[in-house]
């Protein structure tokens, strides 16, 4: 696949950019924060996502979706990054749909996917247990008892866990790892919501002797680690796409500011010290753009180097989004530190995405391992 | 698609039959490169055969039109040919500034007569070219060049000097930036001329580098006759040609940051020669450095691929050759640093067969020039800041 967007994708990108700039600019995020919105996202906006088909963008047509592919949803997430628009789009419409498409039974897919498309069913991936990302479940355990699995343990940093109807939960089972689809309302499930620094909301989830039927397994029992890694790679690339939007927007606003802001009687953008830093960032962003596009294509093509590309892309985007958002503050000077000004919001969202699904150190290590050293 | 597959089969069969066995491995040293030229001495019969056969196919300059010695290939076909050459680990039959630099300028700005005169001998490796751009007082500020080319009626006379002429002492002809209008603003009095290096009044002096090699010369002109029909583009419009060529050159230099087909990746090199534990390098700091390098290398590779796809799709990235030049050369410096770390004491040898005449040490030292030649890294960043980002000043 050529590393360019086709006309249809360009139109989608354009439509998403205009819609989000109009309906959900950074002001939208401020309003949610200032009204202490318990959900941390707007259900009205979500229903508009549904109308535009975004919730079903990855879903096969048989279940009412658009079957448009990962490159499409990646473009929308990138635009969401530009406006810092909070929504369950990534966790539900990308990660969960990918999980169901990869491993869901016919029954699971036919029950859940149409509800996802309709925006009525939200899902969240519950994977991490400690402060750092680890794909292998450690203390979360599901034991077989009288034909049932009994799940106990706790998960943290569950994105959209506070609003999800179901969780995709990784757990140790007798001889490996298994994934379960657990309804949020199941007996023994406790959801503890907490707000994070970018005014998004996440959850810690306790599973206390939760009884699960074998048909609530997602994918093969005891051998789901590879599947989970694959699902996580989808999430990593999704997070990278959003970081690309964040970094680009922060960068573009900063370059504009360099042209406007005057000190010593001249625009500060005429100083070579700042010009070179901006030029370097431009280059880094071009590299990032190629990586994200290639990674999305590799999801669409299910290519062999997907894992390597996912780690490379997540690590590089983390590094660059960090640089872009931090430089944005520095080059804006004092007002970059103020809450009144939007530019400081970008670094907050970046930081969340950096920690999710493995930070750059995690992926540097994984990349090296995949390359055999 | 089937047409292309057939084409690939054809190419493969031809190469299998015509590429001599000894040409199917990467160069072990620079001495094995085939540069062509009047005085070039082939190191083997195979090297000569390989060049002749490829030139007859038009494959030393595959994308050039057939009438100028090329094969008239489209981008996709050219890519296929490249891939098939890589599959055999075949060496380039000819490395030539005529092909990589002068050719594109002649094809874009040259008259039909000049193309007919110069292009076919280039594709056959008969004439070796040198580039005359920098001067002792015109480096980063190239447009301030001062080599004087004075109108003598039916010809010009050239006086002055050039520096950093790549292999000037082996070249047959030079394409050269000279000043033809001494009153005009500095960008507007420059012409792009060509002349035979064997002309009376041309002298070259090799410049020895810290790598111990002398790939460059200083080139002096004393009343050198330049024919009036050897100007590419309009007189005093040479800066346009020069900028076009510089863009081209930068793109070419950019790929020096990428490992060429057949080179062992840095990480694998390290894993083969250093201690590992559970398949990981025991030196975790070096391991992280290598991983970061390989990530950037892959990202640049993909970005060059994307830029090519965008050109094909009609979206031009503009001044991005500066960005590629910057990254390619900085990456290559990084690669050489990492190789020095990986090989430690063994990388320090300067002579002898075991070290391939100090290949690592010399390549490491030589790489320091990558971010200077063809426009320094700082100049590339200036260009990005001004032309792409539109920053003032």
């Amino acid at each position: 696949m050529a590393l360019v967007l086709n006309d249809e994708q360009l139109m989608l990108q354009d439509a998403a950019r205009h819609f989000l700039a109009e309906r959900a600019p950074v002001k939208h995020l401020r309003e949610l924060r200032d009204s202490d919105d318990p959900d941390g996202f707007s259900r009205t906006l979500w229903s508009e996502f549904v109308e535009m088909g975004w919730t079903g963008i990855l879903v096969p047509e048989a279940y009412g979706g658009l079957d448009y592919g990962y490159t499409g949803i990646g473009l929308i997430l990138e635009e969401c990054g530009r406006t810092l628009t909070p929504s369950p789009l990534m966790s539900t419409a990308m990660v969960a749909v990918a999980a169901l498409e990869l491993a869901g039974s016919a029954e699971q897919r036919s029950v859940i996917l149409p509800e996802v498309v309709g925006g009525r069913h939200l899902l969240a991936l519950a994977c991490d247990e400690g402060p750092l990302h680890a794909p292998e479940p450690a203390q979360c355990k599901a034991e077989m008892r009288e034909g049932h699995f009994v799940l106990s343990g706790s998960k943290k940093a569950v994105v959209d866990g506070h609003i999800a109807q179901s969780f995709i939960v990784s757990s140790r089972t007798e001889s490996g790892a298994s994934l379960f689809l657990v309804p949020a309302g199941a007996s023994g499930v406790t959801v503890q919501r907490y707000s994070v620094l970018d005014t998004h909301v996440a959850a810690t989830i306790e599973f206390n002797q939760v009884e699960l039927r074998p048909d609530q397994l997602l994918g093969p029992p005891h051998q789901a680690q590879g599947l989970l890694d694959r699902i996580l790679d989808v999430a990593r690339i999704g997070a990278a796409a959003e970081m690309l939007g964040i970094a680009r927007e922060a960068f573009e606003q900063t370059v504009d500011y360099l042209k406007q802001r005057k000190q010593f009687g001249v625009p500060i953008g005429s100083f070579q010290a700042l010009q070179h830093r901006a030029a370097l960032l431009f280059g880094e962003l071009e590299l990032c753009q190629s990586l994200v596009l290639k990674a999305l294509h590799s999801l669409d093509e299910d290519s062999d180097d997907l894992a390597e590309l996912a780690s490379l892309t997540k690590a590089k985007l983390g590094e660059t989004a960090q640089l872009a958002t931090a430089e944005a503050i520095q080059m804006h000077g004092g007002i970059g530190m103020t809450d009144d000004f939007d530019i400081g919001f970008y670094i907050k969202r970046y930081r969340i995405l950096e920690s999710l699904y493995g930070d750059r150190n995690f992926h540097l290590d994984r990349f090296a391992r995949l390359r055999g050293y | 698609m089937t047409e292309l597959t057939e084409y690939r089969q054809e190419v493969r069969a031809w190469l299998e039959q015509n590429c001599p066995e000894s040409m199917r491995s990467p160069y072990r040293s620079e001495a094995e490169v085939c540069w062509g030229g009047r005085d070039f001495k082939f190191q083997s019969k195979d090297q000569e055969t390989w060049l002749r056969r490829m030139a007859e196919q038009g494959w030393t300059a595959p994308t050039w039109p057939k009438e100028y010695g090329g094969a008239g290939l489209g981008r996709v076909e050219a890519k296929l040919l490249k891939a098939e050459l890589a599959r055999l680990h075949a060496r380039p039959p000819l490395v030539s500034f005529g092909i990589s630099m002068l050719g594109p300028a002649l094809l874009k700005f040259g008259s039909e007569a000049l193309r007919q005169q110069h292009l076919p001998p280039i594709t056959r490796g008969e004439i070796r070219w040198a580039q005359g751009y920098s001067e002792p007082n015109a480096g980063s500020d190239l447009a301030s060049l001062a080599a004087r080319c004075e109108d003598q009626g039916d010809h010009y006379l050239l006086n002055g000097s050039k520096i950093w002429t790549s292999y000037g002492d082996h070249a047959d002809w030079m394409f050269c930036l000279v000043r033809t209008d001494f009153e005009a603003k500095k960008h507007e009095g420059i012409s792009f001329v060509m002349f035979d290096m064997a002309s009376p009044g041309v002298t070259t002096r090799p410049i020895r580098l810290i790598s111990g090699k002398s790939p460059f010369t200083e080139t002096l002109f004393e009343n050198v006759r330049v024919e009036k029909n050897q100007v590419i583009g309009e007189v005093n419009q040479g800066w346009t040609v020069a900028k076009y060529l510089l863009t081209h050159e930068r793109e070419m230099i950019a790929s020096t940051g990428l490992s060429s087909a057949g080179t062992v990746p840095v990480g694998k090199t390290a894993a083969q020669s250093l201690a590992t534990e559970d398949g990981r390098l025991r030196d975790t700091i070096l391991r992280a450095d290598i991983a970061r390098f390989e990530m950037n290398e892959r990202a640049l590779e993909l970005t060059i691929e994307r830029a090519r796809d965008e050109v094909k799709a009609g979206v031009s990235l503009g001044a991005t050759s500066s960005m590629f030049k910057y990254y390619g050369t900085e990456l290559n410096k990084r690669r050489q640093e990492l190789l020095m770390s990986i090989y430690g004491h063994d990388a320090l040898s300067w002579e002898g067969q075991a070290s391939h005449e100090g290949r690592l040490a010399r390549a490491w030292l030589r790489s320091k020039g990558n971010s200077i030649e063809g426009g320094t890294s700082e100049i590339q960043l200036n260009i990005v800041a001004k032309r792409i980002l539109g920053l003032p000043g």
Side-chain angles (χ1 to χ4, degrees):
Chain A
M1 228 184 278
L3 284 177
V4 283
L5 299 180
N6 61 34
D7 289 344
E8 227 180 33
Q9 288 162 344
L10 284 169
M11 273 167 61
L12 174 68
Q13 183 183 49
D14 199 51
R17 186 169 302 176
H18 281 98
F19 172 81
L20 290 165
E22 169 122 341
R23 295 283 297 115
V26 180
K27 192 164 133 266
H28 172 78
L29 177 70
R30 283 182 187 278
E31 283 164 5
L32 289 168
R33 179 189 70 176
D34 296 342
S35 64
D36 277 327
D37 188 286
D39 290 344
F41 83 108
S42 153
R43 291 188 189 265
T44 315
L45 186 71
W46 186 242
S47 64
E48 291 176 65
F49 279 21
V50 173
E51 275 165 38
M52 284 187 297
W54 291 0
T55 47
I57 200 158
L58 279 184
V59 177
E61 287 172 14
Y63 303 112
L66 297 175
D67 201 7
Y68 193 80
Y70 287 98
T71 306
I73 197 158
L75 289 173
I76 298 174
L77 285 172
E78 185 185 333
E79 295 308 316
C80 289
R82 279 184 178 271
T83 46
L84 302 174
T85 304
S87 85
L89 192 68
M90 182 161 69
S91 53
T92 296
M94 189 175 190
V95 181
V97 170
L100 285 161
E101 278 300 299
L102 284 165
S105 65
E107 164 94 18
Q108 287 166 338
R109 294 166 64 191
S110 64
V111 170
I112 301 173
L113 289 177
E115 293 297 299
V116 166
V117 175
R120 296 175 294 273
H121 197 117
L122 305 178
L123 296 102
L125 178 64
C127 169
D128 283 343
E129 299 172 5
L132 296 182
H133 171 66
E136 297 79 20
Q139 50 77 241
C140 236
K141 229 159 60 179
E143 285 172 340
M144 201 63 176
R145 239 180 266 161
E146 296 162 5
H148 280 72
F149 288 97
V150 179
L151 173 68
S152 287
S154 72
K155 295 285 185 182
K156 62 163 61 174
V158 181
V159 179
D160 296 325
H162 63 301
I163 46 174
Q165 274 77 37
S166 320
F167 306 116
I168 297 169
V169 184
S170 61
S171 164
R172 279 169 56 204
T173 46
E174 54 180 305
S175 57
S178 303
L179 292 180
F180 294 96
L181 268 171
V182 182
S187 160
V189 176
T190 320
V191 178
Q192 188 73 48
R193 70 180 291 285
Y194 64 97
S195 53
V196 288
L197 78 164
D198 71 336
T199 72
H200 277 59
V201 182
T204 303
I205 303 172
E206 293 282 342
F207 302 96
N208 185 10
Q209 308 268 328
V210 179
E211 278 198 20
L212 297 165
R213 298 180 311 274
D215 67 2
Q216 288 176 298
L217 274 166
L218 181 69
H222 320 306
Q223 285 164 29
Q225 192 60 52
L227 170 65
L228 176 59
D229 284 338
R230 181 69 173 68
I231 296 168
L232 283 167
D233 280 338
V234 173
R236 288 158 183 157
I237 294 169
E242 192 177 334
M243 284 196 279
L244 178 61
I246 289 170
R248 274 226 177 275
E249 184 64 28
F251 174 68
E252 285 166 20
Q253 289 188 19
T254 303
V255 170
D256 282 346
Y257 187 74
L258 292 179
K259 294 176 188 172
Q260 287 157 19
R261 168 75 171 171
K262 284 191 176 164
Q263 288 289 276
F264 307 102
V266 291
I268 59 172
S270 63
F271 301 136
Q272 198 177 41
L274 296 182
Q275 288 184 345
H276 282 191
R277 276 155 65 182
L280 274 173
L281 248 174
F282 168 82
E284 293 292 318
L285 284 165
E286 287 299 315
L287 298 186
C288 286
Q289 182 107 32
S290 316
L291 286 174
V292 169
L293 189 54
K294 181 70 178 181
L296 290 166
H297 281 180
S298 76
L299 282 174
D300 281 326
E301 292 166 343
D302 196 16
S303 60
D304 294 339
D305 57 352
L306 175 61
E308 185 186 298
L309 259 169
S311 278
L312 162 55
T313 305
K314 179 69 167 59
K316 184 75 187 166
L317 265 293
E319 188 185 293
T320 307
Q322 193 278 332
L323 183 65
T325 53
E327 286 284 66
I329 294 176
Q330 179 66 22
M331 293 192 194
H332 275 81
I335 58 158
M337 287 298 294
T338 63
D339 186 79
D340 275 350
F341 217 73
D342 288 347
I343 201 73
F345 283 32
Y346 286 85
I347 202 168
K348 299 190 191 185
R349 183 66 191 146
Y350 143 74
R351 189 58 248 185
I352 300 281
L353 292 165
E354 171 81 270
S355 306
L356 286 176
Y357 320 124
D359 64 10
R360 68 181 98 153
N361 295 330
F362 174 91
H363 287 293
L364 198 74
D365 175 65
R366 183 167 180 253
F367 175 86
R369 226 171 338 116
L370 289 166
R371 287 228 165 167
Y373 57 91
Chain B
M1 269 298 133
T2 49
E3 254 173 59
L4 275 179
T5 323
E6 262 172 47
Y7 181 73
R8 184 185 277 262
Q9 294 305 337
E10 241 172 72
V11 169
R12 185 171 296 184
W14 190 92
L15 290 175
E16 286 286 2
Q17 207 174 357
N18 288 284
C19 180
E21 210 45 56
S22 70
M23 294 290 109
R24 300 186 187 189
S25 61
Y27 307 123
R28 276 160 302 180
S29 74
E30 239 176 77
E32 291 184 345
V33 176
C34 177
W35 291 97
R38 285 176 196 146
D39 304 330
F40 186 70
K41 287 187 186 54
F42 290 100
Q43 288 114 40
S44 66
K45 192 78 199 138
D46 281 353
Q47 190 184 41
E48 188 173 2
T49 308
W50 180 223
L51 170 59
R52 183 174 41 79
R53 288 180 180 164
M54 285 291 278
E56 278 165 11
Q57 287 288 105
W59 285 353
T60 52
T63 57
W64 292 9
K66 284 185 179 164
E67 64 261 41
Y68 306 130
L73 300 192
R75 280 177 36 92
V76 181
E77 291 159 323
K79 208 168 158 184
L80 270 180
L81 172 60
K82 210 172 155 191
E84 287 302 313
L85 283 163
R87 202 184 69 93
L88 276 190
H89 305 292
R91 298 176 184 185
L94 178 65
V95 173
S96 153
F97 298 139
I99 290 173
S100 57
M101 298 180 13
L102 177 63
L106 272 172
L107 286 168
K108 195 169 168 73
F109 300 99
S111 65
E112 183 56 29
L114 286 177
R115 292 181 193 180
Q116 292 286 3
Q117 181 190 351
H118 292 299
L119 293 177
I122 287 174
T123 63
R124 295 192 295 265
E126 290 165 6
I127 295 293
R128 185 168 175 180
W129 285 83
Q131 181 194 47
Y133 268 33
S134 298
E135 295 180 9
N137 290 314
S140 286
D141 183 13
L142 180 62
S144 70
L145 59 94
R148 271 179 92 85
C149 199
E150 275 169 290
D151 196 333
Q152 303 290 311
D154 67 333
H155 67 279
Y156 295 107
L157 269 190
L158 174 61
N159 282 284
S161 68
K162 292 286 170 184
I163 198 168
W164 307 122
T165 316
S166 299
Y167 306 102
D169 44 349
H170 299 293
D172 305 313
W173 273 67
M174 173 176 264
F175 55 94
C176 189
L177 287 179
V178 296
R179 189 156 297 283
T180 37
D181 184 331
F182 315 105
E183 313 301 323
K185 275 192 270 176
K186 65 178 183 179
H187 293 91
E188 290 162 15
I190 294 171
S191 298
F192 194 106
V193 302
M194 299 176 286
F195 51 86
D196 194 322
M197 296 274 282
S199 308
V202 179
T203 27
T204 58
R205 274 193 224 134
I207 303 167
R208 191 166 189 209
L209 300 188
I210 50 174
S211 61
K213 302 263 177 83
S214 306
F216 298 103
T217 64
E218 193 174 358
T219 309
L220 310 169
F221 313 118
E222 200 187 335
N223 291 324
V224 176
R225 185 184 166 103
V226 177
E227 300 305 332
K228 284 211 146 166
N229 62 7
Q230 296 298 313
V231 180
I232 302 187
E234 302 287 313
V235 174
N236 294 329
Q237 300 293 312
W239 188 246
T240 315
V241 186
K243 272 197 303 191
Y244 174 76
L245 254 193
L246 275 175
T247 307
H248 215 82
E249 185 186 7
R250 281 169 194 154
E251 273 161 20
M252 204 173 62
I253 296 175
S255 53
T256 57
L258 307 174
S259 34
S260 43
T263 332
V264 184
V266 176
K268 210 176 233 176
T269 305
Q272 283 164 0
S273 52
L274 297 176
T276 56
E277 232 170 68
D278 299 331
R280 293 181 199 201
L281 291 175
R282 199 180 289 161
D283 183 338
T284 52
I285 296 173
L286 178 62
R287 179 173 180 263
D289 279 352
I290 294 173
R292 242 174 244 120
F293 164 78
E294 287 196 349
M295 284 183 162
N296 283 318
E297 180 187 45
R298 182 84 180 110
L300 177 64
E301 216 170 73
L302 287 169
T303 305
I304 291 175
E305 187 183 323
R306 179 164 69 89
R308 287 186 185 142
D309 288 342
E310 286 181 346
V311 169
K312 210 164 37 169
V315 204
S316 177
L317 279 176
T320 37
S321 69
S322 289
M323 191 199 99
F324 291 134
K325 201 273 173 182
Y326 174 86
Y327 274 96
T329 55
E330 295 298 329
L331 260 184
N332 193 44
K333 288 198 291 183
R334 196 77 207 108
R335 172 203 312 284
Q336 300 302 335
E337 289 291 345
L338 288 168
L339 289 172
M340 292 303 282
S341 297
I342 291 167
Y343 287 105
H345 299 310
D346 295 341
L348 303 176
S349 293
W350 194 245
E351 281 160 350
Q353 281 213 319
S355 70
H356 299 284
E357 305 301 329
R359 190 169 51 89
L360 281 166
R362 290 172 195 267
W364 168 68
L365 288 164
R366 177 63 185 86
S367 71
K368 299 305 174 203
N370 295 160
S371 49
I372 300 168
E373 58 208 326
T376 62
S377 280
E378 290 71 21
I379 289 288
Q380 307 313 321
L381 293 178
N382 283 351
I383 293 174
V384 170
K386 299 205 168 84
R387 294 211 204 127
I388 302 182
L389 303 179
L391 291 172

